[in-house]
Amino acid sequence: MHHPVSARTIRHRLHQSGLSARCPLLRLPLTQNHRRLRRMWTAEWNEIVFTDESRFCLQHHDGRIRVWRHRGERMLNSCIMHRPTGPAPGIMVWGGIGYHSRTPLVRVAGTLNSQRYISEALEPVALPYFQGLPTAIFQQDNARTHVARIVQGFFVNRQIELLPWPARSPDLLPIENMWSMVAERLTQITSQAATPDQLWQRVEAAWSAVPQEHIQSLFESMPRPVAVFALLPSVAALIASNVFKREEDKAR
């Protein structure tokens, strides 16, 4: 004979067994081919410069803000949080991290197209940064701006090696954790930025203030490379070329 059990009783029993309700981890869906490419993707992490864009908003609401009110007071002005009707005001930035250093941060105004990507990030910032490194491989995701023909031509003409990037793999990017560390430093400032210019100053300062040791720990926490190059021969060529260069330099 079955007896009805309330949801409250079920939750109580689950808590007693040590379980807790948590938000599920959100990830992009991966096909079998995506998983196969990720397993076969490899590189020497400390030779890679990981780059990406990120957006920071003037007002950030993570859904955890609560108001204490009585029943029927939901529509009181003191219990309402107003939000912008259009895109949240803020700034977009571009940056890159390497094992031993990082690029200057670039503020991106408006929409970043392929031409502006070259003229505002790659040409004035990424290129001088790479010229100061003995060996380096450039990483970027597969956003349309990044894979445009004019951008690919820029890397070819400047002889900058590109790391082939598996689709739907933002979770492999250590720079995503860098953005989180920058955001965490912003939350430690009690007063919110009043203008985009003030927000930019704070983001730029937070980017520079993250210790390089923290960035190195991100690289060191990445999964160990898997030495399978069947589907990504270009990556194998990059690594082999860099190893050969190092051995050649030692011989000299």
Side-chain angles (χ1 to χ4, degrees):
M1 183 176 181
H2 298 284
H3 298 282
V5 180
S6 67
R8 182 178 180 181
T9 299
I10 294 175
R11 288 195 298 269
H12 181 67
R13 295 297 185 187
L14 291 174
H15 279 298
Q16 284 184 328
S17 64
L19 296 176
S20 300
R22 295 288 186 268
C23 294
L25 177 65
L26 298 179
R27 297 184 63 177
L28 292 172
L30 299 176
T31 65
Q32 288 299 322
N33 188 51
H34 290 145
R35 297 179 188 277
R36 188 160 54 99
L37 288 174
R38 283 165 63 113
R39 287 194 300 268
M40 295 185 175
W41 178 70
T42 180
E44 295 290 340
W45 303 130
N46 61 357
E47 293 182 357
I48 299 172
V49 176
F50 291 92
T51 69
D52 196 16
E53 297 87 24
S54 185
R55 182 171 177 80
F56 293 87
C57 298
L58 283 174
Q59 295 181 346
H60 176 66
H61 172 40
D62 61 4
R64 297 182 179 180
I65 296 177
R66 298 290 185 268
V67 294
W68 291 89
R69 60 178 176 82
H70 294 99
R71 184 182 297 273
E73 294 181 343
R74 181 181 183 185
M75 301 305 295
L76 290 180
N77 192 55
S78 59
C79 299
I80 295 175
M81 173 177 287
H82 297 278
R83 61 180 178 84
T85 56
I91 61 171
M92 177 179 287
V93 297
W94 174 94
I97 58 172
Y99 187 80
H100 297 290
S101 60
R102 75 203 76 179
T103 71
L105 202 61
V106 176
R107 181 178 178 179
V108 179
T111 302
L112 184 67
N113 56 32
S114 56
Q115 186 60 57
R116 293 187 60 204
Y117 181 44
I118 294 174
S119 63
E120 297 181 21
L122 299 182
E123 189 78 54
V125 178
L127 184 58
Y129 177 76
F130 264 72
Q131 290 172 341
L133 300 176
T135 58
I137 301 172
F138 190 92
Q139 181 280 330
Q140 59 180 5
D141 62 24
N142 298 313
R144 289 186 179 181
T145 298
H146 300 163
V147 299
R149 184 175 301 177
I150 187 175
V151 174
Q152 299 301 306
F154 172 87
F155 290 113
V156 172
N157 294 335
R158 304 307 192 281
Q159 297 182 333
I160 296 177
E161 304 283 11
L162 271 178
L163 177 69
W165 190 250
R168 300 187 179 185
S169 300
D171 54 309
L172 293 179
L173 278 173
I175 195 171
E176 294 293 343
N177 298 93
M178 177 65 170
W179 296 131
S180 297
M181 288 190 285
V182 171
E184 177 64 26
R185 287 178 175 269
L186 295 180
T187 62
Q188 296 173 4
I189 303 175
T190 55
S191 61
Q192 286 191 339
T195 65
D197 289 339
Q198 186 181 32
L199 178 60
W200 159 245
Q201 293 174 357
R202 293 182 179 184
V203 172
E204 187 178 31
W207 169 269
S208 301
V210 174
Q212 191 64 32
E213 292 80 6
H214 292 184
I215 297 177
Q216 291 176 349
S217 68
L218 297 179
F219 279 74
E220 293 164 359
S221 66
M222 294 185 68
R224 297 304 303 164
V226 181
V228 181
F229 301 102
L231 294 183
L232 292 177
S234 56
V235 177
L238 285 180
I239 302 304
S241 174
N242 287 335
V243 171
F244 177 77
K245 289 178 182 177
R246 287 198 297 269
E247 295 300 324
E248 194 176 48
D249 292 339
K250 290 179 181 178
R252 292 176 182 174

